[in-house]
Amino acid sequence: MTTAIYKISKNGSSLNIEWKDGEKSSFNFLWLRDNCPTAHDKDSRHRMFNILNVSENIEAKEFKIDKDGKLIIKWSEGEHTSFYDPSWLRNNCYTLKNKKKYSSPYELWDNSLQNNLKSITIEHKEIINSDDGLIKWLELLHHKGIAIVKNSPVDKKSALPVLNRISHTRETFFKTPFEVINIPQPNNSAYTAHALRNHMDLPWFENPPGYQFLHCLINSAKGGDSSAVDGFAVADYLKKNEKEIFETLINVHLKFRDKDYTQVVHRSFHAPAISLTKDGDYNDIRFSVATMDALDCKPEIMDKVYKAHHRFGNLLHDDKFQIKFRLEPGDIFSFNNRRLLHGRTSFDPNSGERHLQGYYMDRDEIIGRLNFLKKNK
Ligand code: OGA
Ligand code: ZN
């Protein structure tokens, strides 16, 4: 058994463990005490034990491996003994986790995806009828950032049952669903017949919706073709080829705002065009020509910032990176709103009808649901 403990020894404020397979771990005493298996409530799984009730000098008074292979620690204070399962320790070992090279969940793509659009489609009934179908959809969303659900019903709000296979939607003042139709005096440029340059939705929120779902009900008007681009792939291109521009895009906070005429709340937020995770991976992209506010960064960098924004924007519309397709009634164009930029060509409202219904969902729901389903498989 690879998770069996071979040897234990005390080393300052930690316990060293040598495993049967030769790997070595170090576990800090405060960490061990905080993660005693009795610390958590069985239902809420919240920690009921309070680490603040022991001193920062707590240590193992006695320690041994019992006949079942469990690590037993008798603590120097609080009259408490902890029993640790070796496989739990191994799975949560932060020594080994930090030794492992980071591997990104993101599969970056460019225009070559155009030749293989089938690879990002999934049948509506497959998701409704099976967890495997749901997992496939979620994996496309998480890894590629894009999926097109085919052959969904085309009644109003009929995307809700398939979306609720994942979780609840995210409400905004645009309402759920939001109606993407051509209307007079629109409070958003999407509600016109104009072309929309590649953009993300709602970059002026502190936390813009993680995912967006555009459900096509009717698309008989001339024009209104869709485009999409993987913002992470463009960011990665800049990181590898145009380092200075990349550095500007990750370091300088831009400003976004929304104050359409229907609103009694003026929302605005500063964020860099590209943000990174703790592992240096891509976290999100903020790009929207339509809703970027008058920038207010330092005068000595304004020129550099505008040129970086200009270059990034041009690459986000470059045919090397973007794909183009036409939504058919029954398609649900689903994508990571903080990774992909999406757009459409203008359409002629006199030539036919066009009606999409849009929904948002937080990223936590997508990744959390995928984690849950994979664990229970
Ligand atoms: C939107 C949008 C695209 C389209 O509603 O945010 O980008 O194809 N719509 O109408
Ligand atoms: Zn949009």
Side-chain angles (χ1 to χ4, degrees), residues 199 201 212 342:
H199 66 283
D201 279 17
Q212 182 172 167
H342 63 288

Side-chain angles (χ1 to χ4, degrees), residues 19 27 52-53 84 146 175-176 185 203 257 272 295 303 366:
W19 302 91
F27 292 101
L52 306 183
N53 290 342
Y84 301 90
I146 182 169
K175 301 297 176 203
T176 306
Q185 267 210 298
R257 58 107 185 85
L295 294 188
D303 190 58
I366 305 289

